[in-house]
Amino acid sequence: MRYRRFGKTNLKLSVFSLGTMRCFTDPSLLQEIITLGMNLGINHLETARGYGNSEKVLGDCLQRSLPLRREEFYLTTKLSPTPDRRVMYEAIEESRQRLQQDYIDCVAIHGVNTREHLQWLQDPHGSMSALQSAQSKGIIRHIGFSTHAPLEIILEAINTDLFDFVNLHYYLFWQRQAPAVALAAEKDLGIFIISPGDKGGMLYTPPPKLEQLCYPLSPLVLSYRFLLSDKRITTLSIGPETPEELRQPLNQWNDRDGQLTEEEENILAGLAGELEKVLGSDRCSQCYQCLPCPENINIPEILRLRNVGLGYDMTDFAKYRYKMLENAGHWFPGSKGNRCTECGDCLPRCPEKLDIPRLLRDSHHSFNGSAGRRLWEDG
């Protein structure tokens, strides 16, 4: 296992972190996964108050026999944004008690997704003051934020200089947040990439075409290599549902965190070429100039899902994400493609001159189905 400095926190984190969102419902399974992860060299565990009873289950596991002492692993939890200082302070203390720890290494505000969330944190008498008070007492060590926000809000949050680290969605198949990675590195924030295996493309179960395009690497390992070849990134979340989902990618990765090899660069070039070949003049370049949409349609995301769904046969992933539109609030904002009124507002702004209304209708027909939902209930 490799270890990297987590920005200004100066923590030395394993390049893979163990997320608990998908395995906390079975305490014995979580215990097995934690033990395996630590034996493989993982020293960073991540959970959230919003993941059901994950904190309590994880806390119980940490009290049982594990291969590491408390000072040898790092613990992150996430708390929902609130404008209320008292509510935040109570949440910190409740999480600490559920986790059964004297202190928590890192606390992230879970989902700074809107400008209102960011304003709450900038209020000198609001919830950030509770976090800073807990930090001064040693209850928590470092403060950060996770986000599903538009890029401009993420950049604003980083520029507040309130945070020590950031949890980002940035992937091989979605690189919109590259400027956020750059700014966070410039500010010396620790950079934690969350859910590269699941939200990064459902890469635990890739379609055969994608496997062929990535051969001899698996799509999951290629994604890890793409991310970890970037030394600005500290750690990637692995959120296994089974021990094998943890063991298998780590065995394939085999400590390779240096620059991409010529073979890997060729695979990436092949992936780009396949999109050009399959999509032709209908390929969306993800410039986001089509926004804003009068009907609040998430045009770039829908066309990204069309890109990967058609180009790489990632249809199951496209359906999984598309069906969350209109069902996940600020976690995945925007309307579906069938809301298009063909007003034409986006057309002159598109540098590829795409027939966006037609592509939205086609995407809706291909990917819509029963409503999707987030994997946890908290807001």
Side-chain angles (χ1 to χ4, degrees):
M1 182 62 65
R2 305 289 189 185
Y3 301 85
R4 293 182 179 178
R5 175 179 172 271
F6 195 39
K8 64 179 68 174
T9 72
N10 286 316
L11 303 178
K12 294 285 284 187
L13 300 189
S14 50
V15 295
F16 291 102
S17 295
L18 182 58
T20 61
M21 187 178 75
R22 298 173 69 227
C23 60
F24 70 85
T25 55
D26 184 337
S28 61
L29 178 63
L30 178 58
Q31 184 84 51
E32 182 180 356
I33 289 173
I34 291 173
T35 302
L36 173 62
M38 289 182 169
N39 285 334
L40 291 170
I42 291 176
N43 71 352
H44 180 218
L45 307 174
E46 183 257 358
T47 186
R49 185 180 174 87
Y51 298 167
N53 65 338
S54 174
E55 287 182 331
K56 176 65 169 63
V57 175
L58 178 57
D60 290 342
C61 288
L62 292 174
Q63 293 305 305
R64 292 192 283 269
S65 56
L66 289 173
L68 293 183
R69 298 186 302 273
R70 176 61 182 94
E71 62 270 19
E72 294 178 306
F73 70 88
Y74 302 106
L75 185 60
T76 292
T77 195
K78 305 192 290 289
L79 306 177
S80 297
T82 173
D84 192 308
R85 183 183 192 278
R86 179 187 58 81
V87 169
M88 178 59 74
Y89 200 87
E90 289 176 355
I92 295 167
E93 185 56 26
E94 286 174 6
S95 287
R96 188 186 66 79
Q97 291 179 10
R98 290 171 181 168
L99 291 164
Q100 302 173 58
Q101 302 296 313
D102 294 330
Y103 65 92
I104 304 171
D105 298 283
C106 298
V107 169
I109 305 303
H110 193 184
V112 180
N113 297 338
T114 69
R115 186 157 280 108
E116 181 182 40
H117 293 158
L118 185 56
Q119 290 169 347
W120 291 347
L121 296 169
Q122 291 176 289
D123 179 354
H125 305 294
S127 55
M128 180 56 74
S129 65
L131 287 158
Q132 292 166 338
S133 175
Q135 186 179 41
S136 69
K137 296 173 182 176
I139 296 171
I140 62 178
R141 301 286 174 86
H142 306 286
I143 302 168
F145 71 102
S146 71
T147 180
H148 296 235
L151 176 60
E152 59 271 18
I153 294 177
I154 298 175
L155 297 177
E156 287 179 32
I158 294 170
N159 273 321
T160 63
D161 295 323
L162 290 171
F163 304 103
D164 302 322
F165 66 94
V166 58
N167 300 359
L168 283 175
H169 292 278
Y170 169 71
Y171 309 125
L172 172 59
F173 296 113
W174 191 63
Q175 298 178 35
R176 171 66 175 171
Q177 309 300 18
V181 172
L183 182 60
E186 179 186 323
K187 296 279 190 177
D188 197 26
L189 270 63
I191 300 174
F192 179 15
I193 303 300
I194 44 180
S195 197
D198 182 46
K199 295 183 179 67
M202 286 176 61
L203 301 179
Y204 292 113
T205 54
K209 179 178 181 179
L210 186 60
E211 289 185 300
Q212 293 167 5
L213 289 168
C214 295
Y215 184 82
L217 276 66
S218 71
L220 184 60
V221 170
L222 180 66
S223 176
Y224 290 161
R225 285 289 295 123
F226 168 78
L227 293 167
L228 290 175
S229 68
D230 188 338
K231 296 298 185 182
R232 299 171 302 179
I233 292 169
T234 304
T235 186
L236 315 180
S237 173
I238 298 182
E241 198 166 23
T242 66
E244 186 57 27
E245 284 187 357
L246 178 62
R247 183 185 294 108
Q248 189 262 352
L250 289 186
N251 287 343
Q252 286 191 25
W253 175 71
N254 197 26
D255 283 357
R256 294 176 295 168
D257 68 339
Q259 288 186 328
L260 293 172
T261 65
E262 182 178 356
E263 178 183 52
E264 290 163 345
E265 293 279 13
N266 287 338
I267 294 172
L268 294 179
L271 286 168
E274 185 67 14
L275 280 190
E276 292 284 354
K277 182 177 76 173
V278 173
L279 297 169
S281 60
D282 281 348
R283 184 183 68 85
C284 173
S285 67
Q286 296 287 280
C287 68
Y288 279 64
Q289 292 181 40
C290 54
L291 297 181
C293 169
E295 303 301 325
N296 195 35
I297 298 170
N298 195 335
I299 299 172
E301 178 63 9
I302 293 172
L303 298 189
R304 177 182 81 93
L305 296 176
R306 186 178 186 276
N307 282 354
V308 299
L310 296 182
Y312 304 137
D313 286 356
M314 295 170 66
T315 309
D316 287 345
F317 172 68
K319 290 179 177 179
Y320 156 54
R321 297 301 286 172
Y322 187 81
K323 289 184 286 188
M324 290 179 67
L325 290 169
E326 304 181 17
N327 290 288
H330 58 74
W331 294 94
F332 196 56
S335 299
K336 294 182 177 181
N338 64 325
R339 306 298 183 186
C340 178
T341 62
E342 301 191 32
C343 69
D345 189 67
C346 57
L347 296 176
R349 299 200 300 269
C350 177
E352 282 90 26
K353 304 304 179 186
L354 298 178
D355 184 352
I356 293 175
R358 174 180 64 82
L359 298 180
L360 291 176
R361 288 195 305 271
D362 177 66
S363 299
H364 183 78
H365 176 75
S366 299
F367 305 139
N368 195 50
S370 59
R373 58 181 290 277
R374 294 169 60 232
L375 294 180
W376 64 92
E377 295 295 343
D378 180 57

Coordinates of all heavy atoms in Angstrom, one line a residue, residues 168-205:
L168 N -14.4 14.9 -3.4 CA -14.8 15.3 -4.8 C -15.3 14.1 -5.6 O -14.8 13.0 -5.5 CB -13.7 16.0 -5.5 CG -13.3 17.4 -5.2 CD1 -12.1 17.9 -6.0 CD2 -14.5 18.4 -5.5
H169 N -16.3 14.4 -6.5 CA -16.6 13.5 -7.5 C -15.8 13.9 -8.8 O -16.1 14.9 -9.4 CB -18.1 13.5 -7.8 CG -18.9 12.9 -6.7 ND1 -19.1 11.6 -6.5 CD2 -19.6 13.5 -5.7 CE1 -19.9 11.4 -5.5 NE2 -20.1 12.5 -4.9
Y170 N -14.8 13.2 -9.1 CA -14.0 13.4 -10.3 C -13.5 12.1 -10.8 O -12.9 11.3 -10.0 CB -12.8 14.3 -9.9 CG -11.7 14.5 -10.9 CD1 -11.9 15.2 -12.1 CD2 -10.5 13.9 -10.7 CE1 -10.9 15.4 -13.0 CE2 -9.5 14.0 -11.7 CZ -9.7 14.8 -12.8 OH -8.7 14.9 -13.8
Y171 N -13.8 11.8 -12.0 CA -13.5 10.4 -12.5 C -13.0 10.4 -13.9 O -13.0 11.4 -14.7 CB -14.9 9.6 -12.5 CG -15.6 9.7 -11.2 CD1 -17.0 10.2 -11.2 CD2 -15.1 9.4 -10.0 CE1 -17.7 10.3 -10.0 CE2 -15.8 9.4 -8.8 CZ -17.1 9.9 -8.8 OH -17.8 10.0 -7.7
L172 N -12.5 9.2 -14.3 CA -12.1 9.0 -15.7 C -13.2 9.3 -16.6 O -13.0 9.9 -17.7 CB -11.6 7.5 -15.8 CG -11.3 7.0 -17.3 CD1 -10.2 7.9 -17.9 CD2 -11.0 5.6 -17.3
F173 N -14.4 8.9 -16.3 CA -15.5 9.2 -17.2 C -16.3 10.4 -16.9 O -17.4 10.6 -17.4 CB -16.5 7.9 -17.2 CG -15.8 6.7 -17.8 CD1 -15.5 5.6 -16.9 CD2 -15.4 6.6 -19.1 CE1 -14.9 4.5 -17.4 CE2 -14.7 5.5 -19.6 CZ -14.5 4.4 -18.7
W174 N -15.8 11.3 -16.0 CA -16.4 12.6 -15.7 C -15.4 13.5 -15.1 O -15.1 13.4 -13.9 CB -17.6 12.4 -14.8 CG -18.4 13.7 -14.7 CD1 -19.1 14.3 -15.7 CD2 -18.6 14.5 -13.6 NE1 -19.7 15.5 -15.3 CE2 -19.5 15.6 -14.0 CE3 -18.2 14.4 -12.2 CZ2 -19.9 16.6 -13.1 CZ3 -18.6 15.4 -11.4 CH2 -19.4 16.5 -11.8
Q175 N -14.8 14.3 -15.9 CA -13.7 15.2 -15.5 C -14.1 16.7 -15.4 O -13.2 17.5 -15.4 CB -12.5 15.0 -16.5 CG -12.0 13.6 -16.6 CD -10.9 13.3 -17.5 OE1 -10.1 14.2 -17.8 NE2 -10.9 12.2 -18.2
R176 N -15.3 16.9 -15.2 CA -15.8 18.3 -15.1 C -15.1 19.0 -13.9 O -14.9 20.2 -14.0 CB -17.3 18.3 -14.9 CG -18.0 19.6 -14.5 CD -17.9 20.6 -15.6 NE -18.6 21.8 -15.3 CZ -18.5 22.9 -16.0 NH1 -17.8 23.0 -17.1 NH2 -19.2 24.0 -15.7
Q177 N -14.8 18.3 -12.8 CA -14.3 19.0 -11.7 C -12.8 19.1 -11.7 O -12.2 19.4 -10.6 CB -14.7 18.2 -10.4 CG -16.2 17.9 -10.3 CD -17.1 19.1 -10.3 OE1 -16.8 20.2 -10.6 NE2 -18.4 18.9 -9.8
A178 N -12.2 19.0 -12.8 CA -10.7 19.2 -12.9 C -10.2 20.5 -12.4 O -9.2 20.6 -11.6 CB -10.2 19.0 -14.3
P179 N -10.9 21.6 -12.6 CA -10.5 22.9 -12.0 C -10.6 22.9 -10.5 O -9.8 23.6 -9.8 CB -11.5 23.9 -12.6 CG -11.9 23.3 -13.9 CD -12.0 21.8 -13.6
A180 N -11.5 22.1 -9.9 CA -11.6 22.1 -8.5 C -10.4 21.3 -7.9 O -9.9 21.6 -6.9 CB -12.9 21.4 -8.1
V181 N -10.0 20.2 -8.6 CA -8.8 19.5 -8.2 C -7.6 20.5 -8.2 O -6.8 20.5 -7.3 CB -8.5 18.3 -9.1 CG1 -7.2 17.7 -8.8 CG2 -9.6 17.3 -9.0
A182 N -7.5 21.3 -9.3 CA -6.4 22.2 -9.4 C -6.4 23.2 -8.3 O -5.3 23.5 -7.7 CB -6.4 22.9 -10.8
L183 N -7.5 23.8 -8.0 CA -7.6 24.9 -7.0 C -7.4 24.3 -5.6 O -6.7 24.9 -4.8 CB -9.0 25.6 -7.0 CG -9.2 26.7 -6.0 CD1 -8.1 27.8 -6.3 CD2 -10.6 27.3 -6.1
A184 N -7.9 23.1 -5.3 CA -7.7 22.5 -4.0 C -6.2 22.2 -3.8 O -5.7 22.4 -2.7 CB -8.5 21.2 -3.9
A185 N -5.6 21.7 -4.8 CA -4.1 21.5 -4.7 C -3.4 22.8 -4.5 O -2.4 22.8 -3.7 CB -3.6 20.8 -6.0
E186 N -3.7 23.8 -5.2 CA -3.1 25.1 -5.0 C -3.3 25.6 -3.6 O -2.3 26.2 -3.0 CB -3.7 26.1 -6.0 CG -3.2 27.5 -5.9 CD -3.9 28.5 -6.8 OE1 -4.3 28.1 -7.9 OE2 -4.1 29.7 -6.4
K187 N -4.4 25.4 -2.9 CA -4.7 25.8 -1.6 C -4.2 24.8 -0.5 O -4.4 24.9 0.7 CB -6.2 25.9 -1.4 CG -6.9 27.0 -2.2 CD -6.7 28.4 -1.6 CE -7.5 29.4 -2.3 NZ -7.4 30.7 -1.6
D188 N -3.6 23.7 -1.0 CA -3.0 22.6 -0.2 C -4.1 21.9 0.6 O -3.9 21.5 1.8 CB -1.9 23.2 0.8 CG -1.1 22.0 1.4 OD1 -0.9 21.0 0.7 OD2 -0.5 22.2 2.5
L189 N -5.3 21.7 0.0 CA -6.3 20.9 0.6 C -6.1 19.4 0.3 O -5.6 19.1 -0.8 CB -7.7 21.3 0.1 CG -8.5 22.4 0.8 CD1 -7.8 23.7 0.8 CD2 -9.9 22.5 0.2
G190 N -6.3 18.6 1.3 CA -6.3 17.2 1.0 C -7.5 16.9 0.0 O -8.6 17.4 0.1
I191 N -7.2 16.0 -1.0 CA -8.2 15.7 -2.0 C -8.5 14.2 -1.9 O -7.7 13.3 -2.1 CB -7.6 16.0 -3.4 CG1 -7.3 17.5 -3.5 CG2 -8.7 15.7 -4.5 CD1 -6.7 18.0 -4.8
F192 N -9.8 14.0 -1.6 CA -10.4 12.6 -1.4 C -11.4 12.4 -2.5 O -12.4 13.1 -2.6 CB -11.0 12.6 0.0 CG -11.6 11.3 0.4 CD1 -11.4 10.1 -0.3 CD2 -12.5 11.3 1.5 CE1 -12.0 8.9 0.1 CE2 -13.1 10.1 1.9 CZ -12.9 8.9 1.2
I193 N -11.1 11.5 -3.4 CA -12.1 11.2 -4.5 C -13.0 10.1 -4.0 O -12.6 9.0 -3.7 CB -11.3 10.7 -5.8 CG1 -10.3 11.8 -6.2 CG2 -12.3 10.4 -6.9 CD1 -10.9 13.1 -6.6
I194 N -14.3 10.4 -4.1 CA -15.3 9.6 -3.5 C -16.1 8.8 -4.6 O -16.4 9.3 -5.6 CB -16.3 10.3 -2.6 CG1 -16.8 11.6 -3.3 CG2 -15.7 10.6 -1.3 CD1 -17.7 12.5 -2.5
S195 N -16.3 7.5 -4.3 CA -17.1 6.6 -5.1 C -16.6 6.5 -6.6 O -17.4 6.5 -7.5 CB -18.5 7.1 -5.1 OG -19.4 6.1 -5.6
P196 N -15.3 6.3 -6.8 CA -14.9 6.1 -8.2 C -15.4 4.8 -8.8 O -15.5 4.7 -10.1 CB -13.3 6.2 -8.1 CG -13.0 5.7 -6.7 CD -14.2 6.3 -5.9
G197 N -15.6 3.8 -8.0 CA -16.1 2.5 -8.6 C -17.6 2.5 -8.9 O -18.0 1.8 -9.8
D198 N -18.4 3.2 -8.1 CA -19.8 3.2 -8.3 C -20.3 4.4 -9.1 O -20.6 4.2 -10.3 CB -20.5 3.2 -6.9 CG -22.0 3.1 -7.0 OD1 -22.5 2.3 -7.8 OD2 -22.7 3.9 -6.3
K199 N -20.3 5.6 -8.6 CA -20.7 6.8 -9.3 C -19.7 7.1 -10.4 O -20.1 7.8 -11.4 CB -20.9 7.9 -8.4 CG -22.0 7.8 -7.3 CD -22.1 9.0 -6.5 CE -23.3 8.8 -5.5 NZ -23.0 7.7 -4.5
G200 N -18.5 6.5 -10.4 CA -17.6 6.7 -11.5 C -17.9 5.8 -12.7 O -17.2 5.9 -13.7
G201 N -19.0 5.0 -12.6 CA -19.3 4.2 -13.8 C -19.8 2.8 -13.5 O -19.9 2.0 -14.4
M202 N -20.2 2.5 -12.3 CA -20.6 1.1 -11.9 C -19.5 0.2 -12.4 O -19.8 -0.8 -13.1 CB -21.9 0.8 -12.5 CG -23.1 1.5 -11.7 SD -24.7 1.1 -12.4 CE -24.8 -0.7 -12.3
L203 N -18.2 0.5 -12.1 CA -17.1 -0.3 -12.6 C -16.8 -1.6 -11.9 O -16.0 -2.3 -12.4 CB -15.9 0.6 -12.6 CG -16.0 1.9 -13.4 CD1 -14.8 2.8 -13.3 CD2 -16.4 1.7 -14.9
Y204 N -17.6 -1.9 -10.8 CA -17.5 -3.2 -10.2 C -18.1 -4.3 -11.2 O -17.7 -5.4 -11.2 CB -18.2 -3.3 -8.9 CG -17.5 -2.4 -7.8 CD1 -18.2 -1.3 -7.3 CD2 -16.3 -2.8 -7.3 CE1 -17.6 -0.6 -6.3 CE2 -15.7 -2.0 -6.3 CZ -16.4 -0.9 -5.8 OH -15.8 -0.1 -4.8
T205 N -19.0 -3.8 -12.0 CA -19.7 -4.8 -12.9 C -19.7 -4.1 -14.3 O -20.8 -3.7 -14.8 CB -21.1 -5.1 -12.4 OG1 -21.8 -3.9 -12.2 CG2 -21.1 -5.9 -11.2

